[in-house]
Amino acid sequence: MPSLNYCCETGKYFESDEEKKKYNNNRKNIFSKIFYWRKNFNYIVPFEDYEKFNQNVKYIRNIKDIKEFIKEKYEIEKFYEDKEDQQIYAQNYQNLEKINHILEFLKGLEIVD
C-alpha cells in the first residue's frame, strides 16, 4: 500500500499535506468544470482536452445553441442554399468567425442528447 503522500497518477511524492490538498482541489476543480460543461453546453470534454476547451469557453458559450449546425453543416466560407441554414449563419456570423480556429476541435467533440 502506498504512503499517504504518494500520488499514483503522477508517480511522485508530495512534499507536504498542503501540496496534496492543493493538487486535489485543482483536480476536483477540473472535473467540476468538465461536468458543468457537459450539463450546460452538452459537450463531452475528455480530460486531455480540458485546457483547449477551457481557453476557448468564452467563444463556445456563445454558440452552444447551434452546436448541431456547427458539427454537421458549418464550414469556413461555405455558401448555404437552404434558407434555414442561411438564417442561422446570418444571425450567428460574428460568433462563428470567432470559432474558426477551433472548428475541427469542436467537430471532434461528442454532443450529449
Side-chain angles (χ1 to χ4, degrees), residues 3-33 47 50:
S3 70
L4 293 176
N5 285 338
Y6 181 74
C7 178
C8 294
E9 188 173 310
T10 60
K12 297 179 181 178
Y13 286 92
F14 293 113
E15 297 290 325
S16 64
D17 286 336
E18 291 176 18
E19 184 182 349
K20 183 178 178 181
K21 285 181 183 179
K22 187 176 180 181
Y23 175 80
N24 287 337
N25 285 339
N26 186 33
R27 192 170 152 80
K28 182 179 176 183
N29 185 21
I30 290 171
F31 283 106
S32 295
K33 283 183 181 180
F47 183 75
Y50 166 78

Side-chain angles (χ1 to χ4, degrees), residues 35-70:
F35 179 76
Y36 175 82
W37 294 331
R38 183 179 181 147
K39 182 179 172 190
N40 292 308
F41 297 166
N42 296 336
Y43 278 117
I44 298 175
V45 181
F47 183 75
E48 302 83 38
D49 295 333
Y50 166 78
E51 283 297 325
K52 189 167 190 173
F53 196 92
N54 193 36
Q55 290 171 353
N56 296 294
V57 75
K58 58 188 169 210
Y59 307 124
I60 297 169
R61 181 180 293 125
N62 296 329
I63 53 102
K64 68 180 183 178
D65 296 331
I66 58 167
K67 62 186 158 292
E68 288 85 12
F69 172 77
I70 292 170

